[in-house]
């Protein structure tokens, strides 16, 4: 059965270690996708305003499952937005205050927000992934935006322990997922990348078995289980490799583009 949707994670998957991709090769493949009526979907934990900068010529043609599925945009139009209730935001901020080595970005539809007391190095790191990032005196004072995700950062060696602790204290209110490099996202239960793909499937009448998905981290797990054709990068996390049908070349070997070329030829 032919593939009708190709969904790619970005960091560690589509993007190489230099935060870029083989633009010439992708451009040729993208023309083939259009000819074959295959939808190309960017599915990432990152902010929509950051993701679209990777595809300046075609961003108005593409679909984005941004913020781990909390914000879905197709051809410049909003398809879906999640939301965390304000009382839960306050509760989580109180919980996070007990995590001494953690840093927090609060993600919303209009912008992401960071406390002005966070170290400059963290704010600089955050601005790579959140092109709209506002400094505020206190995250608990953020109003007038739809807030749908917490993006946390911890020392890499603490991540497994942090994930366990967060899962314990949050219960079923928010789900902690690893997105690589010491980053942990707190997402609304049931609103993940696979949920974002489902919103687009409804729009286009595409079945699960017609989707090819590519990922490398814990936040790709549901999407990989959901797609009929699922691929994990050889540089992917070991616990994610079990979710995919096939392990492919690494992100530094154009693994995604090599596999897309194969899929389009079949």
């Amino acid at each position: 059965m032919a593939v009708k949707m190709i969904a790619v994670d970005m960091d560690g998957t589509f993007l190489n270690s230099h935060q870029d991709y083989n633009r010439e090769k992708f451009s040729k493949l993208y023309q083939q996708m259009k000819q074959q009526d295959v939808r190309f979907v960017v599915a990432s934990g990152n902010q929509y305003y950051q993701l679209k900068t990777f595809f300046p010529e075609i961003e108005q043609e593409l679909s984005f499952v941004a913020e781990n599925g909390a914000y879905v945009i197709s051809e410049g139009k909003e398809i879906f937005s999640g939301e965390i209730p304000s009382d839960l935001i306050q509760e989580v901020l109180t919980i996070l205050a007990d995590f001494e080595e953690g840093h927090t970005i609060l993600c919303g539809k209009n912008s992401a927000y960071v406390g002005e007391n966070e170290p400059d190095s963290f704010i600089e790191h955050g601005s790579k992934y959140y092109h709209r990032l506002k400094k505020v005196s206190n995250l608990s004072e953020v109003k007038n935006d739809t807030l749908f995700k917490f993006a946390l950062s911890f020392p890499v060696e603490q991540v497994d322990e942090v994930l366990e602790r967060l899962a314990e204290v949050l219960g079923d209110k928010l789900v902690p997922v690893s997105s690589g490099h010491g980053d942990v996202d707190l997402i609304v239960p049931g609103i993940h990348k696979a949920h974002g793909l489902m919103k687009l499937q409804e729009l286009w009448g595409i079945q699960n078995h017609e989707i090819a998905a590519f990922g490398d981290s814990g936040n790709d797990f549901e999407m990989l289980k959901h797609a009929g054709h699922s691929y994990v990068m050889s540089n992917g996390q070991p616990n994610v490799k079990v979710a995919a049908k096939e392990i492919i070349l690494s992100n530094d070997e154009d693994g995604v583009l090599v596999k897309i070329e194969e899929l389009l030829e079949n």
Side-chain angles (χ1 to χ4, degrees), residues 214-247:
F214 296 82
D216 74 312
S217 293
N219 60 344
D220 299 314
F221 199 86
E222 292 86 359
M223 172 171 83
L224 293 167
K225 297 286 273 188
H226 177 73
H229 308 263
S230 52
Y231 306 97
V232 167
M233 318 311 290
S234 61
N235 54 283
Q237 296 173 358
N239 58 335
V240 182
K241 287 179 177 173
V242 300
K245 306 272 195 309
E246 193 181 322
I247 296 166

Side-chain angles (χ1 to χ4, degrees), residues 1-7 197 207-215 223-232 243-246 259 263 266:
M1 176 60 74
V3 164
K4 292 188 182 171
M5 183 200 290
I6 291 172
L197 295 188
Q207 304 299 310
N208 297 1
H209 66 262
E210 296 171 317
I211 302 173
F214 296 82
M223 172 171 83
L224 293 167
K225 297 286 273 188
H226 177 73
H229 308 263
S230 52
Y231 306 97
V232 167
K245 306 272 195 309
E246 193 181 322
K259 182 50 72 174
L263 290 168
N266 287 340

Side-chain angles (χ1 to χ4, degrees), residues 37-125:
D37 201 21
V38 176
R39 303 280 187 165
F40 183 75
V41 178
V42 176
S44 167
N46 295 346
Q47 188 183 50
Y48 167 62
Y49 308 105
Q50 184 247 21
L51 294 172
K52 66 180 189 171
T53 63
F54 287 104
F55 306 94
E57 295 88 11
I58 56 170
E59 46 116 339
Q60 285 297 314
E61 300 178 12
L62 298 182
S63 301
F64 297 85
V65 173
E67 308 277 10
N68 279 329
Y71 196 37
V72 182
I73 301 275
S74 183
E75 296 171 15
K77 296 185 189 71
E78 179 182 317
I79 303 299
F80 174 80
S81 171
E83 184 167 13
I84 302 174
S86 54
D87 56 342
L88 182 53
I89 297 272
Q90 303 307 326
E91 188 185 331
V92 173
L93 287 170
T94 307
I95 287 168
L96 292 175
D98 290 339
F99 286 77
E100 284 158 24
E101 292 190 68
H103 303 286
T104 303
I105 291 175
L106 185 51
C107 308
K109 194 188 289 192
N110 301 326
S111 181
Y113 305 88
V114 64
E116 60 190 14
N117 57 344
E118 290 280 15
D120 289 344
S121 58
F122 173 68
I123 295 174
E124 203 178 301
H125 170 74

Side-chain angles (χ1 to χ4, degrees), residues 88-228:
L88 182 53
I89 297 272
Q90 303 307 326
E91 188 185 331
V92 173
L93 287 170
T94 307
I95 287 168
L96 292 175
D98 290 339
F99 286 77
E100 284 158 24
E101 292 190 68
H103 303 286
T104 303
I105 291 175
L106 185 51
C107 308
K109 194 188 289 192
N110 301 326
S111 181
Y113 305 88
V114 64
E116 60 190 14
N117 57 344
E118 290 280 15
D120 289 344
S121 58
F122 173 68
I123 295 174
E124 203 178 301
H125 170 74
S127 64
K128 287 180 195 160
Y129 302 98
Y130 298 91
H131 283 196
R132 290 193 189 177
L133 184 63
K134 283 184 190 163
K135 282 191 203 179
V136 292
S137 56
N138 194 321
L139 289 178
S140 62
E141 291 162 15
V142 174
K143 303 282 186 283
N144 305 323
D145 199 352
T146 302
L147 301 170
F148 40 49
K149 196 187 82 180
F150 284 87
L152 315 176
S153 188
F154 293 91
V156 175
E157 67 278 3
Q158 291 184 15
V159 167
D160 289 345
E161 183 197 335
V162 162
L163 286 169
E164 261 180 58
R165 262 181 76 194
L166 283 168
E168 216 171 278
V169 290
L170 291 168
D172 55 4
K173 293 170 184 171
L174 290 177
V175 181
V177 292
S178 148
S179 50
H181 323 294
D183 295 331
V184 172
D185 285 350
L186 301 181
I187 60 177
V188 178
I191 296 181
H192 38 58
K193 292 183 185 183
H195 179 268
L197 295 188
M198 287 184 236
K199 292 285 168 195
L200 294 172
Q201 284 175 253
E202 285 168 26
L203 206 58
W204 301 327
I206 289 176
Q207 304 299 310
N208 297 1
H209 66 262
E210 296 171 317
I211 302 173
F214 296 82
D216 74 312
S217 293
N219 60 344
D220 299 314
F221 199 86
E222 292 86 359
M223 172 171 83
L224 293 167
K225 297 286 273 188
H226 177 73

